[in-house]
Amino acid sequence: MKRFDYVRPATIDEAVSAAAAPGSAYLAAGTNLVDLMKGGVMQPKRLVDITRLPGLDRIEDLPDGGVRIGALVRNANLAHDPNFARRFPVVAEALLSGASAQLRNAATVGGNLLQRTRCAYFYDTASACNKRDPGDFCVALAALDALVEVEGKAGRREIPLETFHRFPGDTPERESVLEPGEMIVAVRLPASAARFAAHARYLKVRDRTSYAFAIVAAAAALRIDAGVIADARLALGGVAMKPWRAREAERILTGVAVDAALFRRAAETALAEAKPAGDNAFKIQLARRVVARALMLATAGTPERIPALPASPFAAVSGVPTHA
């Protein structure tokens, strides 16, 4: 690991100013960044420690019925918060499907949105790699029309989660639409997202069931009235360089009676334009099955969420079992 400057700002404005310098990186839990620094994959000249910034570790109910999640809220604390898990179960389930219990106790919401791929080529500094693969949490957020609040030199702005991550294009080194020095301060879920609480599921298929990244994942959220789907949300993970919202499939589902054949047709529609890259053609068929299964699970109803964490955010490292 190369030498770097370390600063600990006292305010968000100070943090943005410090991080605007070329070669700077924000440090929260560091569960991803520190690994990359150790391997020489990332070599920031300056780390801006934001862990002591006030007000970024809160889960706040908004007057309009939505929720605002501070960027420094721990993944485990969010997933185990009884009120949040009851209202937004697909997000809680996605969080509990990611990483290990120990990592979820440390990792933050803001850092989750910016985590880098675990691709072996990416970690091999002798190899060229421009692969990007946002994490599980983002798939559920994309399905529910989440907004990302960021703070920068030009002030605060909001970015729809669906457009937050970029395709590689001519600038594969840029994974998000964040400008230099901009910092995620919160994620917001609209009140409308809570309407799917009764029928929302996240399904993740992976090489091993403990904490591997998704081969394919799907977040399905339905609003069902007298056996008819009144509204539908569907997003996929592991199939593109960013969470993939299947809007045409959502249109097919809306206004139609619940039926397994309908789910298969929606799955075909969601993957209609998918093309394999190299030897991964199997993922297209797998994704169809995952989508249909996620929709079926959502129809059956959302399971009761697990209880809240102990008082200390790190007490669960050896105490709370992994729910994956």
Side-chain angles (χ1 to χ4, degrees):
M1 187 183 296
K2 292 191 174 182
R3 291 180 177 272
F4 54 86
D5 293 332
Y6 171 85
V7 295
R8 182 185 287 173
T11 66
I12 291 176
D13 287 343
E14 289 179 9
V16 169
S17 296
S24 299
Y26 287 115
L27 174 67
T31 55
N32 188 203
L33 175 61
V34 174
D35 282 347
L36 294 169
M37 291 174 64
K38 289 178 178 178
V41 181
M42 292 185 67
Q43 299 179 1
K45 297 177 182 177
R46 170 187 289 181
L47 289 185
V48 181
D49 186 343
I50 63 172
T51 56
R52 306 295 177 90
L53 294 182
L56 298 186
D57 58 351
R58 301 173 186 165
I59 305 169
E60 304 172 81
D61 289 331
L62 300 176
D64 64 359
V67 65
R68 185 176 186 271
I69 309 154
L72 293 181
V73 172
R74 308 281 178 173
N75 288 357
N77 287 348
L78 182 61
H80 288 268
D81 182 273
N83 182 51
F84 180 85
R86 176 181 55 81
R87 298 176 63 208
F88 309 101
V90 69
V91 180
E93 190 169 24
L95 284 167
L96 293 172
S97 297
S100 64
Q102 290 87 345
L103 285 174
R104 291 195 297 267
N105 288 330
T108 63
V109 164
N112 196 302
L113 269 60
L114 296 174
Q115 65 181 303
R116 310 294 292 274
T117 178
R118 263 45 174 195
C119 171
Y121 292 106
F122 180 80
Y123 268 76
D124 181 2
T125 55
S127 300
C129 176
N130 65 1
K131 182 179 183 297
R132 305 291 173 253
D133 192 5
D136 307 289
F137 180 48
C138 301
V139 178
L141 293 180
L144 297 180
D145 292 327
L147 289 173
V148 183
E149 292 182 21
V150 302
E151 187 87 23
K153 283 283 193 179
R156 186 164 296 198
R157 65 183 179 119
E158 299 175 350
I159 307 167
L161 192 282
E162 190 176 359
T163 62
F164 181 79
H165 297 100
R166 293 165 48 98
F167 289 113
D170 296 328
T171 55
E173 73 282 358
R174 291 193 63 191
E175 301 165 347
S176 74
V177 297
L178 290 178
E179 298 296 335
E182 280 192 319
M183 181 180 71
I184 297 173
V185 295
V187 174
R188 288 210 321 272
L189 282 166
S192 58
R195 298 173 188 167
F196 298 93
H199 298 280
R201 293 301 303 270
Y202 175 82
L203 181 61
K204 176 180 179 179
V205 175
R206 44 196 161 174
D207 288 327
R208 59 186 188 278
T209 57
S210 56
Y211 56 88
F213 274 55
I215 299 175
V216 174
L222 305 174
R223 190 160 57 85
I224 300 175
D225 184 8
V228 175
I229 300 172
D231 198 1
R233 304 289 177 83
L234 181 64
L236 284 77
V239 299
M241 299 295 186
K242 57 186 286 185
W244 193 261
R245 183 78 176 265
R247 292 189 178 274
E248 185 59 33
E250 292 175 355
R251 283 190 281 272
I252 287 175
L253 291 163
T254 304
V256 184
V258 170
D259 181 75
L262 171 66
F263 295 159
R264 290 193 293 270
R265 186 158 65 94
E268 290 288 342
T269 300
L271 279 299
E273 298 182 9
K275 295 179 175 60
D279 297 323
N280 69 351
F282 74 95
K283 290 186 66 170
I284 298 176
Q285 180 60 25
L286 179 60
R288 292 190 184 105
R289 295 181 181 183
V290 168
V291 167
R293 177 64 174 162
L295 289 167
M296 188 65 73
L297 289 172
T299 302
T302 303
E304 185 177 350
R305 294 294 99 197
I306 57 178
L309 281 173
S312 168
F314 293 99
V317 169
S318 60
V320 172
T322 301
H323 293 256

